[in-house]
Amino acid sequence: GQNIDQPTEMTATEGAIVQINCTYQTSGFNGLFWYQQHAGEAPTFLSYNVLDGLEEKGRFSSFLSRSKGYSYLLLKELQMKDSASYLCAVKDSNYQLIWGAGTKLIIKP
Amino acid sequence: DSGVTQTPKHLITATGQRVTLRCSPRSGDLSVYWYQQSLDQGLQFLIQYYNGEERAKGNILERFSAQQFPDLHSELNLSSLELGDSALYFCASSKSGGGNNEQFFGPGTRLTVL
């Protein structure tokens, strides 16, 4: 079957750095997405990785290792507004998006 | 604002009833996706349409159905509603289904079944 694993919840301190991991087992791979979702709101796109390596976008970076079926989202200089759920999703061989359950990130002052 | 619109924003109804949720994709997007998200749960993919045709089916109940019209807007019909159907229903759109086309989500319809 297809599976995406992420931690259920993480806590970090304002101003710090946090890394949210995602491991996947899918039938084929056509890219990995990270989305941010604030409670009660729609998910918004953060990043896309299809090749191995690090993609940096301001305070957010996303890393992919296809051989390990592994990705992480790195958030730097955490702000209170970063408190949200972070969803990892993989496009399989049929270009269907398989979603993880999401990681709820709690930022403490 | 993602450019995806959904109506209504909120819907309160009773068990056994039928409702229709509406979605208009971003201009130029051909694919529409429907998701269900129950309280504190992950996104559950229901169904995808591409240019009017059903492209993929997820965990969609037989009581639920959807369609995409020639103008590309989509409707999700939920019938014989049960308490457990209370959830946020999101519509998303993308240019096509392939590659790096990210999905853009509408604001959602919050359905409450009493």
Side-chain angles (χ1 to χ4, degrees):
Chain A
Q2 311 208 85
N3 197 49
I4 297 187
D5 285 316
Q6 329 178 210
T8 304
E9 188 174 295
M10 298 181 71
T11 302
T13 305
E14 191 177 14
I17 299 173
V18 72
Q19 177 175 311
I20 301 174
N21 295 326
C22 169
T23 58
Y24 61 89
Q25 287 178 306
T26 55
S27 50
F29 179 83
N30 279 299
L32 185 144
F33 295 79
W34 284 97
Y35 281 79
Q36 180 191 59
Q37 186 180 25
H38 286 99
E41 297 182 10
T44 55
F45 170 75
L46 288 178
S47 68
Y48 171 75
N49 294 71
V50 68
L51 300 175
D52 289 353
L54 189 68
E55 295 277 345
E56 296 187 76
K57 212 187 256 188
R59 293 189 300 114
F60 292 9
S61 304
S62 56
F63 171 84
L64 174 68
S65 168
R66 288 172 298 171
S67 62
K68 293 183 177 160
Y70 167 69
S71 172
Y72 66 73
L73 181 69
L74 192 72
L75 291 74
K76 302 176 190 172
E77 300 166 18
L78 285 169
Q79 302 174 10
M80 297 304 292
K81 68 178 182 179
D82 298 329
S83 292
S85 287
Y86 291 85
L87 311 177
C88 173
V90 172
K91 272 200 179 173
D92 68 11
S93 56
N94 294 320
Y95 291 94
Q96 294 309 307
L97 207 50
I98 312 301
W99 293 85
T103 298
K104 184 176 181 179
L105 178 63
I106 299 167
I107 310 296
K108 295 189 173 175
Chain B
D1 185 351
S2 67
V4 180
T5 60
Q6 288 187 248
T7 55
K9 214 168 179 175
H10 300 277
L11 201 46
I12 300 174
T13 188
T15 54
Q17 295 299 305
R18 172 190 167 95
V19 296
T20 297
L21 313 184
R22 183 189 167 103
C23 167
S24 291
R26 290 188 325 152
S27 176
D29 285 358
L30 299 178
S31 263
V32 168
Y33 310 78
W34 285 99
Y35 292 91
Q36 180 193 56
Q37 189 173 40
S38 302
L39 194 61
D40 292 334
Q41 299 294 309
L43 282 173
Q44 294 296 318
F45 168 66
L46 296 178
I47 198 163
Q48 177 199 357
Y49 280 83
Y50 176 76
N51 205 19
E53 300 286 327
E54 183 183 302
R55 171 67 68 88
K57 238 176 181 174
N59 301 320
I60 188 165
L61 300 172
E62 282 191 19
R63 301 183 285 109
F64 295 1
S65 65
Q67 53 184 327
Q68 187 179 27
F69 295 86
D71 66 352
L72 301 178
H73 91 271
S74 178
E75 292 181 358
L76 178 67
N77 300 295
L78 315 176
S79 61
S80 303
L81 285 167
E82 302 175 359
L83 296 177
D85 297 328
S86 295
L88 256 176
Y89 290 83
F90 288 109
C91 167
S93 74
S94 68
K95 283 201 182 324
S96 64
N100 66 346
N101 293 155
E102 69 262 35
Q103 295 180 17
F104 294 86
F105 284 77
T109 293
R110 183 173 293 282
L111 174 67
T112 303
V113 183
L114 300 174

